[in-house]
Amino acid sequence: MYKESTNVVVKHLVNRLRDVRTTSNEFRLTIEEISRIIASEALSDFETVSQNINTWQGPLDVEMIEVQKLVLVPILRAGEPMLTGILKTLPYARSGFLAMKRDEETSQSKIFYENIPNLEGKTVLLLDPMVATGGSLIDGIEHLKSRNPKRIICLNVLGSPYGVEKVQKAFPDVDMYIAQIDERLDENNYIRPGLGDAGDRAFNTY
Ligand code: PRP
Ligand code: URA
C-alpha cells in the first residue's frame, strides 16, 4: 500500500523545498517538519504500552508508543534530516544507518556503509526523501529484509509514479507514506517538477 499525503500543510512545505530561494538550513528544517507529520500518519495505529507516570496531581496510567518495537533507518545522505526530525518526537527510538549512493551515469545505487541493530520483531521506518527510479529504496528494503523485521514502512517526501509503482510491485507487503507523488521521471532519472538533488540541497554541495 502507498499513501500520498492529502494534508495541505505538507503540500505547502513540499513547495517550500522546491523553491530555489530555500537555503540548505531551511531545506533540512523543512524536511524534518514534513517527516514528523508523515511519521505521525504512519504511526497513528502503532502499538502502545501502558506506563504509570507521575503527573502534577499524582500517579496516572497512560498509553505511550512502544518505541522499543521501532527502528529508524535513514538512507544517507539525504535521509539524515528525516531522522533528526523524527527523533525530536521519539527521542528514545533506536536508529540504524544505511549509506547509499546512486551512480550518476547508470542510476544504480550501492551500499557503502551499514550499521543496523537487531530487527527481529521490530517495525522499521526506512527514511529516504526521494523515490526516483526506486532503485535505492528497493536495495535498502532488500538489505533490511535479510534481518527479519516484523514490518518495513517507508517514509518519503517526493516520488515519481514509476519509482513508487516499482517499489510496490517488488514489495507489496511494504507500506509507503509519501508527502507528494510528482508528475514524472525525466530522461536523467530526476523527478519532475521535483526539487533537484535532495542531498545537494540539504548539504550545500551543488
Ligand atoms: C538520492 C536520494 C535517493 C536516491 C533516489 O540519493 O536521496 O536515495 O537518490 O534515486 P533512485 O530512486 O533512482 O534510487 P543519492 O544516491 O544521490 O545520494 P545522496 O543522498 O548522498 O545525495
Ligand atoms: N535523487 C534526488 O535527490 N532527486 C531526484 O530527482 C532524483 C534522485
Side-chain angles (χ1 to χ4, degrees), residues 75-79 100-104 107-109 128-137 163 185 189-190 197-200:
I75 296 183
L76 304 178
R77 159 188 69 144
M100 297 175 74
K101 183 80 190 96
R102 196 173 84 139
D103 185 287
E104 292 298 331
S107 297
Q108 289 296 310
S109 63
D128 191 337
M130 309 302 277
V131 189
T133 65
S136 305
L137 208 53
L185 203 56
N189 287 334
Y190 270 76
D197 185 302
D200 285 346

Side-chain angles (χ1 to χ4, degrees), residues 14-15 17-19 130 158-159 182-184 190-197 201:
V14 168
N15 289 331
L17 295 176
R18 298 187 200 280
D19 191 329
M130 309 302 277
L158 268 192
D182 268 359
E183 276 168 42
R184 65 185 175 95
Y190 270 76
I191 298 168
R192 294 288 185 97
L195 49 75
D197 185 302
R201 294 286 311 278

